[in-house]
Amino acid sequence: MTDITKLTIHETLDELKKKNFSVTELTKAYLKNIDQAERYNAYITVCAERALEQAKTADQNYAKGTPRPLEGIPLGIKDLFCTKDIRTTAASHMLGNFVPPYESTVTEKLLNDGAVFLGKLNLDEFAMGGSNETSAFGPVVNPWSKDVDLVPGGSSGGSAAAVAAHLCAGATGTDTGGSIREPAAFCGCSGIKPTYGRCSRYGIIAFASSLDQAGPIAQDVTDCALLLESMSGYDAKDSTSYPTDVPNFVRFLHEDIKGLVVGMPKEYRPEGLNPEVAAYWDKTAEMLRARGAIVKEISLPHTQYALATYYVLAPAEASSNLARYDGIRYGYRASGDCHLDELYIKTRTQGFGAEVKRRIMIGTYVLSAGYYDAYYLKAQKMRRLIHDDFMKAFEQCDVILTPTSPITAFPIGDKEMLKNPINMYLNDVFTVSVNLAGLPAMSLPIGLAANGLPLGMQLIGKPFDEGTILNVAAKIEEDAGFERL
Ligand code: GLN
């Protein structure tokens, strides 16, 4: 075998069962890749020693013939998940030295299923961004970059870059407005954001609590199904986690899609949509038609208000969630003798980066007396209409197909993108509605644009119907034959 780090998770599990290599060998191979790929800046913290200890236990379990579902699979964890005794920064100075005394539910589930943790992955500060450039630990470089260094997308940019460059077998991400799907698309990976309530948010550093969900980023659809199954499930420690059974997601992948109705929302084809993106979208619809699916146009009439609604509600919730970082209880504290008020101001001025401050200010503004009704309340009402659009659409179709992003990865420090924050926000046009409606959605690579960079397609499903999404995605994956790095 040539390079064992290029295998998918399901292939790796087969090889480990056949004892073709050990978990220790595998873990060392990934650690070597990480060492040699420092220029991607994908990891904030590498836990080599701990990973090798976990690998040893995994090898023993294989020897005893009692492997757990993900026994010995080396994963990277987005540095937004609290990991007991391992520094968890949210890519912010504010939590630069924060070592959580507890484990998030999602990472605990992965550990209980036998996963090995290689380390903590870079992201946009507090997951606020779409390019990984807001990280206090520096930007991540997209492994698809050629002459110029490109962004990996965000906020789970470290996760997608690490998966694409084989610096882990799979990774966790979180998605508040597209943070799993957009980086997956930019780096040629697959990623799924499950239904709100499917995965516990306990121990995930909060950005916008009514929108945040955890999910996997991996090399292919089957790996996403495997990881999602491990990460999912009701948790009494998260009051918004939903008490429903976790299906065997892999089983869905082999179902027929004959007669399945796929909707293509006409509002996702605005005038001026990148013709390459539009062409891939139509080609994907053709692939599904050829397999017997029925493709039809649907309407999501309030789509044009989704971005504005998201960029009122997400900052509003963020401003409230981030009020806890005051320099008193934990995290960064500004030095020098001063009064309490001054200490708060100094700590927050020094601890947060520019994008986080911008969101706190917008959020505080839209929640303030006098503006609450005009912005926050109005956005809440619009959120309901966007949700209802989807529910009506799902009376006519089983799954919705759209592009993931209107563009491919762009250069780090792109002037147009940085000139005005709104230019960056516009990239989220196809992803935010899904979070507002609480629905599951996945991105998978469909092919390369003329510039040689990956483009992603998005599938949106009914609540708790991740199975149908994964099934349709598996068919597209088979037909598209996308070649990974
Ligand atoms: N790009 C979006 C934002 O900046 C989404 C981020 C996310 O999903 N965490 O808010």
Side-chain angles (χ1 to χ4, degrees), residues 78 80 124 126-131 154-156 174-182 207 212 310-311 314 355 359 424-425 428 431-432 435:
K78 185 178 186 180
L80 200 65
D124 278 298
F126 283 102
M128 297 175 192
S131 67
S155 66
S156 312
T174 62
D175 191 313
T176 304
S179 274
I180 287 176
R181 292 160 285 156
E182 193 229 33
F207 165 8
D212 298 343
Y310 172 83
Y311 277 101
E355 182 62 26
R359 307 247 180 152
M424 192 76 81
Y425 300 168
D428 303 333
T431 50
V432 294
N435 302 72

Side-chain angles (χ1 to χ4, degrees), residues 76 154 174 184 186-187 255 257 294 382 386 402 451:
T174 62
F186 278 15
C187 293
E255 280 172 19
I257 60 162
I294 300 156
M382 188 48 73
I386 289 167
T402 80
N451 61 9

Side-chain angles (χ1 to χ4, degrees), residues 104-372:
S104 84
T105 297
V106 163
T107 48
E108 189 161 76
K109 280 174 175 292
L110 291 167
L111 287 171
N112 288 341
D113 277 346
V116 168
F117 286 177
L118 296 166
K120 307 297 293 286
L121 296 162
N122 207 342
L123 65 148
D124 278 298
E125 185 177 5
F126 283 102
M128 297 175 192
S131 67
N132 220 118
E133 291 169 291
T134 72
S135 167
F137 293 82
V140 172
V141 176
N142 188 323
W144 286 83
S145 306
K146 284 175 198 107
D147 314 330
V148 201
D149 282 350
L150 306 172
V151 303
S155 66
S156 312
S159 305
V163 168
H166 308 287
L167 311 182
C168 58
T172 64
T174 62
D175 191 313
T176 304
S179 274
I180 287 176
R181 292 160 285 156
E182 193 229 33
F186 278 15
C187 293
C189 303
S190 298
I192 182 162
K193 177 204 99 72
T195 314
Y196 185 79
R198 177 67 93 183
C199 289
S200 168
R201 290 182 298 107
Y202 177 77
I204 300 174
I205 294 170
F207 165 8
S209 305
S210 79
L211 302 160
D212 298 343
Q213 259 296 290
I217 294 182
Q219 293 198 70
D220 72 358
V221 177
T222 308
D223 284 3
C224 282
L226 281 169
L227 291 176
L228 182 61
E229 191 170 330
S230 175
M231 294 164 73
S232 298
Y234 172 71
D235 178 15
K237 290 189 223 142
D238 169 6
S239 61
T240 63
S241 119
Y242 197 74
T244 183
D245 289 342
V246 180
N248 175 337
F249 287 121
V250 176
R251 206 176 294 155
F252 285 92
L253 304 181
H254 309 293
E255 280 172 19
D256 200 353
I257 60 162
K258 215 167 268 156
L260 193 101
V261 185
V262 180
M264 289 171 82
K266 61 172 191 240
E267 292 79 5
Y268 281 58
R269 200 185 291 270
E271 226 174 285
L273 175 66
N274 177 340
E276 277 186 285
V277 172
Y280 267 119
W281 189 15
D282 293 334
K283 196 173 144 196
T284 313
E286 249 345 287
M287 289 173 186
L288 296 174
R289 223 178 252 129
R291 283 182 178 260
I294 300 156
V295 180
K296 65 173 183 191
E297 187 180 272
I298 55 157
S299 174
L300 298 167
H302 295 93
T303 298
Q304 60 173 312
Y305 304 111
L307 269 181
T309 303
Y310 172 83
Y311 277 101
V312 168
L313 295 180
E317 294 187 29
S319 73
S320 159
N321 271 327
L322 270 57
R324 73 190 70 174
Y325 304 107
D326 55 8
I328 304 297
R329 283 166 292 186
Y330 56 89
Y332 177 75
R333 179 186 295 182
S335 56
D337 288 336
C338 54
H339 291 296
L340 187 62
D341 276 359
E342 248 178 282
L343 179 69
Y344 289 157
I345 293 169
K346 266 170 76 178
T347 296
R348 290 168 67 81
T349 304
Q350 294 166 12
F352 291 133
E355 182 62 26
V356 172
K357 284 180 197 156
R358 179 178 298 124
R359 307 247 180 152
I360 292 173
M361 286 191 282
I362 294 172
T364 309
Y365 179 81
V366 301
L367 289 173
S368 58
Y371 295 104
Y372 183 93

Side-chain angles (χ1 to χ4, degrees), residues 379-440:
Q380 288 287 33
K381 289 180 179 169
M382 188 48 73
R383 180 177 190 173
R384 166 59 61 181
L385 294 174
I386 289 167
H387 168 271
D388 293 350
D389 279 357
F390 277 107
M391 292 307 132
K392 269 188 215 128
F394 280 127
E395 286 169 11
Q396 301 171 45
C397 65
D398 301 301
V399 70
I400 294 172
L401 174 73
T402 80
T404 307
S405 162
I407 52 167
T408 55
F410 47 88
I412 292 175
D414 186 285
K415 284 205 189 64
E416 272 312 299
M417 240 12 121
L418 298 176
K419 199 162 69 185
N420 180 344
I422 291 176
N423 292 350
M424 192 76 81
Y425 300 168
L426 288 173
N427 299 335
D428 303 333
V429 63
F430 298 142
T431 50
V432 294
S433 299
V434 160
N435 302 72
L436 292 168
L439 298 171

